[in-house]
Amino acid sequence: MAHPYHHSLSSVRKWGGVVADYQRIHDWFDESKKIIVDFRHRALRHHAEGIFMAETIFGTTVTLGNGRLIPVRLIGEQHVREDLGFVPSFADWVKAIRPEPWMGRAVRLDDSSVTSQGM
């Protein structure tokens, strides 16, 4: 799938309703395209934790115009499966990141920056 609108059409075919019933959820999954416009944007939300995050943001269910309730988790799973073929874990994405030296560099705290206030 290339666009949230097409995911929404797929949701309509699967559960009924209209595109607007699903659009905001599918838009949210692909909102990370604001950061990076290729497939790597999916690492931010296209995984099991991202699906549960969507449920936290949009609620457990959406109510279609006809009153039918559809679980947000199922909508998220549909979106991710259409893009990736399965629902990966966040760990699956992290395993694909090549570590760079700057990623593990820690800066030593300067003792003079620590005050005794509140201690």
Side-chain angles (χ1 to χ4, degrees):
M1 294 273 160
H3 193 279
Y5 174 76
H6 297 109
H7 285 290
S8 296
L9 284 174
S10 180
S11 294
V12 169
R13 286 191 296 275
K14 188 170 185 107
W15 294 296
V18 296
V19 166
D21 293 328
Y22 306 97
Q23 189 73 50
R24 64 191 181 107
I25 296 168
H26 292 298
D27 284 344
W28 179 83
F29 273 96
D30 285 345
E31 191 175 50
S32 53
K33 287 179 183 177
K34 290 190 283 189
I35 299 166
I36 187 163
V37 296
D38 64 29
F39 67 89
R40 293 174 292 175
H41 85 91
R42 294 175 177 158
L44 294 176
R45 297 181 179 169
H46 286 59
H47 44 71
E49 199 274 337
I51 292 167
F52 277 81
M53 189 185 321
E55 189 178 54
T56 299
I57 292 167
F58 298 104
T60 306
T61 60
V62 294
T63 305
L64 304 182
N66 64 7
R68 184 174 181 199
L69 297 175
I70 307 299
V72 167
R73 195 178 311 163
L74 293 182
I75 298 166
E77 289 173 357
Q78 171 225 330
H79 185 111
V80 173
R81 281 192 180 109
E82 287 175 348
D83 280 351
L84 302 176
F86 74 110
V87 176
S89 69
F90 180 69
D92 292 325
W93 283 102
V94 172
K95 284 187 270 185
I97 295 173
R98 190 181 77 231
E100 296 287 341
W102 63 266
M103 294 174 180
R105 196 170 293 139
V107 177
R108 184 181 166 118
L109 292 176
D110 181 10
D111 291 332
S112 66
S113 66
V114 179
T115 65
S116 61
Q117 293 178 356
M119 293 180 127

